[in-house]
Amino acid sequence: MAVMPLWEATWAIWQRDVRSYWRRRVRIVAALARALLWLVVLGSGLRPLMAGTGMDYVHYILPGVLALTAAYSSLQAAVATMAERESGFLRVVVSAPVPRMVIVGGRALGGATEATLQGALVLLVAPVLGLRPGRAGVLGALGLLFLTGFALTVLGMVLAASLKRLEDFGVIANFVILPMYFLSGALYPIPPLPVWFKALVALNPLSYAVDALRGVLVGAYHFPLGLSLTVLALVSALMALWAVPLYSRE
Amino acid sequence: MIVADGLVKVYNGVRALDGVSFRVEAGELFGLLGRNGAGKTTAIEILCGLRKPDVGTARVGGLDVVRDPRAVRAICGVVHQVPSLDRWLTVYENLDFYCRIYGIPRSERQVRIREALALADLTGAAGRMVTALSGGMRRRLEIARALLHRPRVLFLDEPTIGLDPAARREIWAFIADLRRREGVTVLFSTHYLGEAEFCDRVLILERGRVLASGSPAELKAAAGVRTQVPPAPVTLEEAYLHLTQRAVH
Ligand SMILES: Nc1ncnc2c1ncn2[C@@H]1O[C@H](COP(=O)(O)OP(=O)(O)OP(=O)(O)O)[C@@H](O)[C@H]1O
Ligand SMILES: [Mg+2]
């Protein structure tokens, strides 16, 4: 098959994903509410205790909440793929003469787009919390959300493919997302942490997403931006290589 | 058109197919019968390049389903036993999505989608969400969709499942019309024996093995020999029950 139809098929899956995302608006609202809950409840509640971060605590956790939002949308997109494998549109795609790569690619682009849109909604609220990132900051954050969403969707597709029962995914998702979130420097600064904790943070791909987001939004970096981008790109590539064979039927 | 040779498929210890061989000639209407779990769906999924057999080979349109599954998928249309319409898309969007996944050029999509809508008698419903269609309308849409890329072989896994008699009749009229116009080879599975009466040939699967095959008339004759008490069966359903030894006396 020529290059054109491959791209056409990927684009079709992407478009279908974004359309159905938009048609499930309740989820969009629910995800926004969850993000605001973190920001307002945790942010305002811990603000007096966390003067040591060197900035307003709500501003400190905003990048982490953005990354968390991206993580939830991505994993949701990933699990939809598994659900639709036995019925629904994925069955049509696997019966079609397209390589499996297209399924992973199209879905990952869809998940990345949804993560970006969902993050953009949270960013819209930022001025209300007193944070006004410049245009460059916003554009940078959107780009990072896309890259993060892509990496996490493929990671989620690998996870979802190895689960026997999809109902378990809700539990697994929290079991994966929340530790990644807590071990990412999303909630507290990294330098004062003990060495073992620092090591876990350094091994966690979400740390690089959070750190880069914080960098572009409020100008404070722990890791060099180049390193963070490389880590996210590498995770995407490796997970994609792993995911493709999982989505072939025996 | 279809040649299956010694197909074996084992799912964690269950022999879903246990050495199945048969041929379907070009243009035939071929029925696959057998009780629940006999292996019909497994056979269909192997033949349309969706699953790999553990042992055995199969060719569809001269193409090897194991070595060249993508080429096989390109010439096959499949209507799965489980519904596979996208509930988040409209009727039109479902058809358009299919066209793009099968690499139908943009210039032809409009025409083919219009034809498919007419074929499924859903022209007026193009903009509706598929969730707003009745079961019969959905099934017709799935069959029309499977024809968008002009397949040479059409696999229908229980195409009339859950439909009322009128809707079933409509679907079969639709398939007959299609065979007349496009000359496609059709292999379908069903539990409604009445539907298999009009097949050129049928094959009965039983626990993953071929129990009997031949034209409906041949099966009736074969069952007639087994019937101790005449008269011989007059319907395929009676013949089927005799052959599978489930006749109620
Ligand atoms: N994905 C699977 N994993 C494990 N076992 C399976 C799987 N699919 C089918 N089987 C088993 O293989 C056997 C044949 O199943 P198959 O779906 O091919 O039967 P069928 O003839 O289509 O039945 P039905 O009339 O109920 O649709 C059954 O025993 C079934 O339990
Ligand atoms: Mg079946």
Side-chain angles (χ1 to χ4, degrees), chain A residues 1 4-6 8-13 15-16 19-20 23-24 84 86-89 91-100 102 249-250, chain B residues 9 11 45 48-52 70 73-74 76 78 80 82-86 88-90 93 96-98 100-103 106 109 129 145:
Chain A
M1 188 177 273
M4 225 310 265
L6 264 194
E8 181 66 46
T10 311
W11 165 247
I13 295 178
Q15 202 176 35
R16 179 266 166 205
R19 242 186 208 136
S20 73
R23 287 176 186 166
R24 279 180 257 199
E84 285 156 349
E86 285 309 315
S87 72
F89 99 105
R91 226 175 204 248
V92 176
V93 184
V94 295
S95 310
V98 289
R100 303 310 189 222
V102 163
R249 308 200 116 237
E250 315 116 276
Chain B
K9 180 78 197 179
Y11 297 109
E45 289 186 347
C48 66
L50 211 58
R51 249 179 227 287
K52 281 197 176 70
R70 271 170 63 196
R73 291 203 288 264
C76 291
V78 197
H80 297 283
V82 289
S84 62
L85 291 169
D86 193 329
W88 296 104
L89 298 185
T90 64
E93 286 164 355
D96 187 57
F97 180 77
Y98 188 96
R100 294 164 71 185
I101 292 293
Y102 277 81
R106 180 182 287 271
R109 277 183 225 153
M129 297 298 286
R145 181 179 65 172

Side-chain angles (χ1 to χ4, degrees), chain B residues 41 81 157-158:
Chain B
T41 299
Q81 183 171 354
D157 199 353
E158 300 190 27

